[in-house]
Amino acid sequence: MKKKIFTMFDYFLILLVSLLILFGILFIYSSNINSNGVLVSNEHSKQIIWAVVSFIVMIVFTIMDYRRFENMSRFLYALAIFLLIIVLIPKIGIKVKGARSWLGIGSIRFQPAEVCKILFTLYLAQYLDNSRDEQPLKRFIIATVIMGVPVGLILLQSDLGSATVYIPVYLVMCLFAGIPIRMIVYVLSLGLLSIFYSCLPLWNIHIAKNPVKIISLLTITKYRVILIFASGLITLIGVIVRKYFHGPKWAYWVTYVFSIISISLIASYILSKVLKDHQIWRLIIFMDPSVSPDKYGWNIIQSKIAIGAGGLFGKSYLHGTQSHGRFLPEQSTDFIFSILSEEWGFFGGILVFLIYTVILLRILYIIKHINSNYGVYVASGILSIFAYHFFINIGTVMGITPVIGIPMFFMSYGGSSLLTGMICIGIIQSINCRRKELN
């Protein structure tokens, strides 16, 4: 079996990942040099250690048969929920930059929400595989609950970025599992509209050039209740017409649309109580960072300056002024791509973009050649984790998506992120080595 693993091992995928890790270490080092040329941190040394550990862990997960996780997945999911709960306890969880989302022993810290992405994916894949003969609506509701529990706990940690990752993973896995698209679109619309309603009042006041008076109604509780009651009543009428009077198809779509509106209005009220003002600001400031250039818009403005300053070929390695001048916040983590773009320019950015694209296509190729349904679901979940992290991080540094604190896998500084990414690669390798075998 070991001989087969080495013959089926995807060395090209590991080469691509290794290049990204190498680039990450190089630019983490660059980010830790100040304008006087003095190294002010040893983050690059820590990242090298984490890289070595992560490679060893990746090999272990490659050798392991991924199908063993199917029977263990309930326990692993329970472990994930346990970790997400205990991190909320003040004397146990460590609060960093406003989010109580870290656990640690001495100087070693890790973020449970990162590792729990994998545990959640393994359990959701197990449920979707075992429930293939059940009603689609029942499968989708239970899958939603499986996703909703960790997301709710992570939101209580004030870690909006990590919470958002679980949603596309769940939606993509449900899509691969054959859940009807209308159900997937329903939840996606519900989530986006809830966030939209939550952000709309603040956007109307601070971002909109011409504030709309009717939007201010959403900030007044009694008007919000009226809107919820009206849309809920229309939904109820649609259900009655459809069920008891065998109404036309339009009655179904009336129910579909207005139930989204009414539920999202309720959810947005809850979100407005859970999310803090600075989190809502981060969701909308990308639309016009100039309205708060010294505070909420600072990250995006400085990142755009760094990327623009790089031009086609960049200022050359270790000669970036934005990073060395300490203008870029979180420059070794969330904004590592900005440093690369400033020092290696447009072509450096395109190189990273192409490497990530090939990695995603490589995983998609593996998915298409898997005979195991469980393997397909797990691999599709990992594919969506990588894709979401990459595109949201790139969009953030370019100012075209909200600043929600999503690191770039393999390049951003952080042991939790790198270890999570390499475990995912190990599982993908394990699936690839056994892809022709049946369940």
Side-chain angles (χ1 to χ4, degrees), residues 60-77:
V60 171
F61 273 84
T62 299
I63 295 173
M64 290 176 61
D65 189 337
Y66 74 94
R67 289 168 296 191
R68 292 183 181 180
F69 296 122
E70 188 165 11
N71 295 328
M72 301 166 52
S73 60
R74 288 188 179 183
F75 168 76
L76 294 175
Y77 180 74

Side-chain angles (χ1 to χ4, degrees), residues 292-320:
S292 181
D294 298 325
K295 192 175 182 182
Y296 300 112
W298 174 266
N299 296 12
I300 297 176
I301 292 171
Q302 297 305 318
S303 178
K304 285 183 175 181
I305 291 173
I307 294 173
L312 282 177
F313 302 103
K315 295 183 175 181
S316 77
Y317 182 59
L318 300 181
H319 289 85

Side-chain angles (χ1 to χ4, degrees), residues 30 33 315-325 339 342-343:
S30 178
I33 296 177
K315 295 183 175 181
S316 77
Y317 182 59
L318 300 181
H319 289 85
T321 54
Q322 286 297 107
S323 60
H324 294 175
I339 299 175
E342 183 181 23
E343 297 186 4

Side-chain angles (χ1 to χ4, degrees), residues 418-433:
L418 184 55
L419 187 61
T420 300
M422 292 304 282
I423 290 174
C424 287
I425 291 297
I427 294 173
I428 287 293
Q429 291 282 13
S430 178
I431 293 172
N432 184 51
C433 294

